[in-house]
Amino acid sequence: IYTDDQLLNLIKENKHLSQVGLDECQLVQDIEARASKAKMPSYQFLWGDMLAYGVCVKKDVLLGLHFMRNAADQALPEALEQLGRYYHIGKFMQIDIDKAIFFLKEASAVNHLKAQLRLADIYAQGHGSPLDYPELYAQLHQSVTDDKKTHKKITRLLANLANKMPAHVVDAAKKGKF
Protein backbone atom coordinates (compact mmCIF):
# COMPACT_ATOMS: atom_id res chain seq x y z
CA ILE A 1 0.00 0.00 0.00
CA TYR A 2 1.16 3.57 -0.58
CA THR A 3 2.18 5.90 2.21
CA ASP A 4 0.18 9.11 2.32
CA ASP A 5 3.19 11.07 1.02
CA GLN A 6 3.74 8.65 -1.86
CA LEU A 7 0.09 8.83 -2.83
CA LEU A 8 -0.01 12.62 -2.62
CA ASN A 9 3.06 12.82 -4.88
CA LEU A 10 1.42 10.46 -7.37
CA ILE A 11 -1.73 12.60 -7.31
CA LYS A 12 0.25 15.83 -7.81
CA GLU A 13 1.96 14.27 -10.83
CA ASN A 14 -1.38 12.83 -12.04
CA LYS A 15 0.10 9.32 -11.98
CA HIS A 16 -2.13 7.85 -9.27
CA LEU A 17 -4.49 5.98 -11.59
CA SER A 18 -1.72 4.62 -13.78
CA GLN A 19 0.14 3.43 -10.67
CA VAL A 20 -2.90 1.44 -9.55
CA GLY A 21 -2.92 -0.18 -13.00
CA LEU A 22 0.82 -0.85 -12.84
CA ASP A 23 0.22 -2.57 -9.52
CA GLU A 24 -2.21 -4.83 -11.40
CA CYS A 25 -5.19 -3.66 -9.34
CA GLN A 26 -3.98 -5.68 -6.34
CA LEU A 27 -4.63 -2.89 -3.83
CA VAL A 28 -8.27 -2.13 -4.64
CA GLN A 29 -9.68 -3.46 -1.35
CA ASP A 30 -7.05 -1.63 0.69
CA ILE A 31 -7.70 1.61 -1.21
CA GLU A 32 -11.45 1.29 -0.71
CA ALA A 33 -11.00 0.58 3.02
CA ARG A 34 -8.72 3.59 3.52
CA ALA A 35 -11.22 5.77 1.66
CA SER A 36 -14.43 4.43 3.22
CA LYS A 37 -13.47 3.38 6.72
CA ALA A 38 -10.32 5.36 7.57
CA LYS A 39 -11.62 8.37 5.59
CA MET A 40 -8.12 9.40 4.52
CA PRO A 41 -8.51 12.30 2.06
CA SER A 42 -5.76 11.13 -0.29
CA TYR A 43 -7.37 7.70 -0.52
CA GLN A 44 -10.86 9.20 -0.86
CA PHE A 45 -9.54 11.16 -3.83
CA LEU A 46 -7.88 8.09 -5.35
CA TRP A 47 -10.95 5.91 -4.79
CA GLY A 48 -13.19 8.62 -6.24
CA ASP A 49 -11.03 8.89 -9.34
CA MET A 50 -10.92 5.12 -9.71
CA LEU A 51 -14.72 4.97 -9.56
CA ALA A 52 -15.26 7.96 -11.86
CA TYR A 53 -12.97 6.57 -14.55
CA GLY A 54 -13.59 2.85 -14.01
CA VAL A 55 -9.99 2.01 -13.12
CA CYS A 56 -9.84 -1.51 -11.65
CA VAL A 57 -13.50 -1.20 -10.58
CA LYS A 58 -16.89 -0.84 -12.20
CA LYS A 59 -17.34 2.75 -13.31
CA ASP A 60 -19.62 4.75 -10.99
CA VAL A 61 -19.24 8.47 -11.65
CA LEU A 62 -21.76 9.57 -9.01
CA LEU A 63 -20.09 7.59 -6.23
CA GLY A 64 -16.67 8.69 -7.47
CA LEU A 65 -17.68 12.34 -7.25
CA HIS A 66 -19.01 11.68 -3.75
CA PHE A 67 -15.59 10.47 -2.62
CA MET A 68 -13.83 13.36 -4.37
CA ARG A 69 -16.19 15.75 -2.55
CA ASN A 70 -15.34 14.06 0.75
CA ALA A 71 -11.65 14.62 0.06
CA ALA A 72 -12.38 18.25 -0.83
CA ASP A 73 -14.39 18.66 2.37
CA GLN A 74 -11.21 17.67 4.21
CA ALA A 75 -9.37 20.42 2.28
CA LEU A 76 -7.25 18.19 0.04
CA PRO A 77 -5.97 20.79 -2.46
CA GLU A 78 -5.93 18.38 -5.40
CA ALA A 79 -9.57 17.44 -4.80
CA LEU A 80 -10.58 21.09 -4.51
CA GLU A 81 -8.77 21.92 -7.75
CA GLN A 82 -10.20 18.93 -9.59
CA LEU A 83 -13.79 19.67 -8.58
CA GLY A 84 -13.28 23.31 -9.53
CA ARG A 85 -11.90 22.25 -12.90
CA TYR A 86 -14.79 19.83 -13.46
CA TYR A 87 -17.36 22.53 -12.70
CA HIS A 88 -15.48 24.92 -14.97
CA ILE A 89 -15.29 22.62 -18.00
CA GLY A 90 -18.46 20.60 -17.39
CA LYS A 91 -16.72 17.26 -16.81
CA PHE A 92 -19.21 14.75 -15.33
CA MET A 93 -21.56 17.64 -14.43
CA GLN A 94 -23.02 20.79 -15.86
CA ILE A 95 -20.83 23.87 -16.05
CA ASP A 96 -21.27 25.99 -12.94
CA ILE A 97 -18.84 28.90 -12.80
CA ASP A 98 -19.86 29.92 -9.27
CA LYS A 99 -19.09 26.45 -7.92
CA ALA A 100 -15.88 26.34 -9.96
CA ILE A 101 -14.79 29.63 -8.40
CA PHE A 102 -15.66 28.38 -4.91
CA PHE A 103 -13.50 25.25 -5.19
CA LEU A 104 -10.67 26.97 -7.04
CA LYS A 105 -10.51 29.79 -4.46
CA GLU A 106 -10.17 27.21 -1.70
CA ALA A 107 -7.37 25.40 -3.53
CA SER A 108 -5.70 28.72 -4.42
CA ALA A 109 -5.66 29.74 -0.78
CA VAL A 110 -3.27 26.86 -0.06
CA ASN A 111 -1.05 27.81 -2.99
CA HIS A 112 -2.24 25.26 -5.52
CA LEU A 113 -0.76 26.83 -8.65
CA LYS A 114 -2.99 25.04 -11.19
CA ALA A 115 -6.05 26.29 -9.31
CA GLN A 116 -4.64 29.82 -9.21
CA LEU A 117 -4.00 29.79 -12.95
CA ARG A 118 -7.46 28.48 -13.78
CA LEU A 119 -9.09 30.98 -11.41
CA ALA A 120 -7.18 33.85 -13.02
CA ASP A 121 -8.39 32.66 -16.43
CA ILE A 122 -11.97 32.63 -15.13
CA TYR A 123 -11.56 36.15 -13.74
CA ALA A 124 -10.08 37.26 -17.08
CA GLN A 125 -13.31 36.06 -18.74
CA GLY A 126 -15.25 38.48 -16.56
CA HIS A 127 -16.51 36.07 -13.93
CA GLY A 128 -16.11 36.38 -10.18
CA SER A 129 -15.97 39.40 -7.95
CA PRO A 130 -13.44 42.20 -8.42
CA LEU A 131 -13.10 42.14 -4.63
CA ASP A 132 -11.33 38.78 -5.01
CA TYR A 133 -8.76 39.96 -7.58
CA PRO A 134 -6.21 41.36 -5.09
CA GLU A 135 -5.98 38.09 -3.16
CA LEU A 136 -5.38 36.06 -6.30
CA TYR A 137 -2.93 38.68 -7.57
CA ALA A 138 -0.95 38.37 -4.33
CA GLN A 139 -0.96 34.57 -4.57
CA LEU A 140 0.25 34.56 -8.17
CA HIS A 141 2.79 37.29 -7.45
CA GLN A 142 4.29 35.08 -4.73
CA SER A 143 4.14 31.86 -6.77
CA VAL A 144 7.31 30.00 -7.70
CA THR A 145 7.89 27.87 -10.78
CA ASP A 146 10.88 26.75 -12.80
CA ASP A 147 8.75 26.15 -15.91
CA LYS A 148 9.25 29.00 -18.41
CA LYS A 149 5.87 28.48 -20.08
CA THR A 150 4.08 28.63 -16.72
CA HIS A 151 6.11 31.67 -15.72
CA LYS A 152 5.03 33.49 -18.89
CA LYS A 153 1.42 32.56 -18.24
CA ILE A 154 1.64 33.90 -14.68
CA THR A 155 3.13 37.15 -16.02
CA ARG A 156 0.28 37.47 -18.53
CA LEU A 157 -2.38 36.72 -15.92
CA LEU A 158 -0.85 39.18 -13.45
CA ALA A 159 -0.94 41.89 -16.11
CA ASN A 160 -4.56 41.07 -16.87
CA LEU A 161 -5.52 41.24 -13.19
CA ALA A 162 -3.55 44.46 -12.73
CA ASN A 163 -5.54 46.06 -15.56
CA LYS A 164 -8.73 45.34 -13.62
CA MET A 165 -7.56 47.04 -10.39
CA PRO A 166 -6.41 50.51 -9.36
CA ALA A 167 -2.61 50.89 -9.10
CA HIS A 168 -2.67 51.32 -5.32
CA VAL A 169 -4.56 48.00 -4.96
CA VAL A 170 -2.00 46.26 -7.19
CA ASP A 171 0.84 47.70 -5.08
CA ALA A 172 -0.85 46.54 -1.88
CA ALA A 173 -1.41 43.06 -3.36
CA LYS A 174 2.27 42.83 -4.30
CA LYS A 175 3.09 43.51 -0.66
CA GLY A 176 0.48 41.02 0.55
CA LYS A 177 -1.60 43.83 2.09
CA PHE A 178 -4.84 43.53 0.24
Side-chain angles (χ1 to χ4, degrees):
I1 198 78
Y2 320 111
T3 67
D4 206 42
D5 286 341
Q6 287 172 325
L7 181 52
L8 289 171
N9 284 333
L10 288 169
I11 291 169
K12 286 176 187 165
E13 296 172 14
N14 198 27
K15 295 180 179 177
H16 55 292
L17 293 178
S18 60
Q19 185 62 51
V20 172
L22 289 172
D23 293 335
E24 299 176 356
C25 303
Q26 295 179 30
L27 303 174
V28 171
Q29 290 177 331
D30 289 326
I31 292 167
E32 181 182 14
R34 287 173 187 246
S36 300
K37 293 181 177 40
K39 300 188 185 320
M40 296 173 69
S42 57
Y43 278 90
Q44 289 174 323
F45 181 82
L46 174 59
W47 184 239
D49 251 8
M50 289 171 63
L51 288 164
Y53 289 98
V55 174
C56 298
V57 295
K58 184 179 180 206
K59 187 174 186 172
D60 187 336
V61 174
L62 191 60
L63 186 58
L65 290 171
H66 168 78
F67 276 95
M68 286 181 221
R69 171 79 70 157
N70 287 346
D73 288 346
Q74 293 190 61
L76 184 71
E78 289 74 18
L80 292 163
E81 184 276 331
Q82 184 158 298
L83 287 172
R85 180 169 21 100
Y86 285 177
Y87 276 114
H88 182 223
I89 64 173
K91 176 87 173 178
F92 297 131
M93 56 194 71
Q94 297 302 308
I95 291 174
D96 187 327
I97 298 299
D98 291 334
K99 285 183 181 177
I101 289 171
F102 171 80
F103 285 108
L104 293 170
K105 277 177 62 176
E106 293 296 313
S108 293
V110 291
N111 297 319
H112 194 286
L113 186 57
K114 286 182 184 177
Q116 292 169 345
L117 297 173
R118 183 172 295 275
L119 187 56
D121 280 335
I122 290 171
Y123 289 167
Q125 296 167 7
H127 300 286
S129 169
L131 297 175
D132 294 329
Y133 298 170
E135 181 178 14
L136 182 60
Y137 187 97
Q139 292 165 353
L140 282 171
H141 184 70
Q142 298 298 322
S143 66
V144 176
T145 181
D146 65 348
D147 181 69
K148 291 181 189 215
K149 185 177 175 185
T150 303
H151 190 272
K152 282 185 178 182
K153 183 172 185 173
I154 291 168
T155 302
R156 179 182 54 79
L157 291 169
L158 284 171
N160 183 290
L161 284 170
N163 287 334
K164 296 177 178 285
M165 300 182 290
H168 73 280
V169 175
V170 173
D171 289 339
K174 285 180 182 178
K175 297 173 186 168
K177 301 177 181 179
F178 47 92

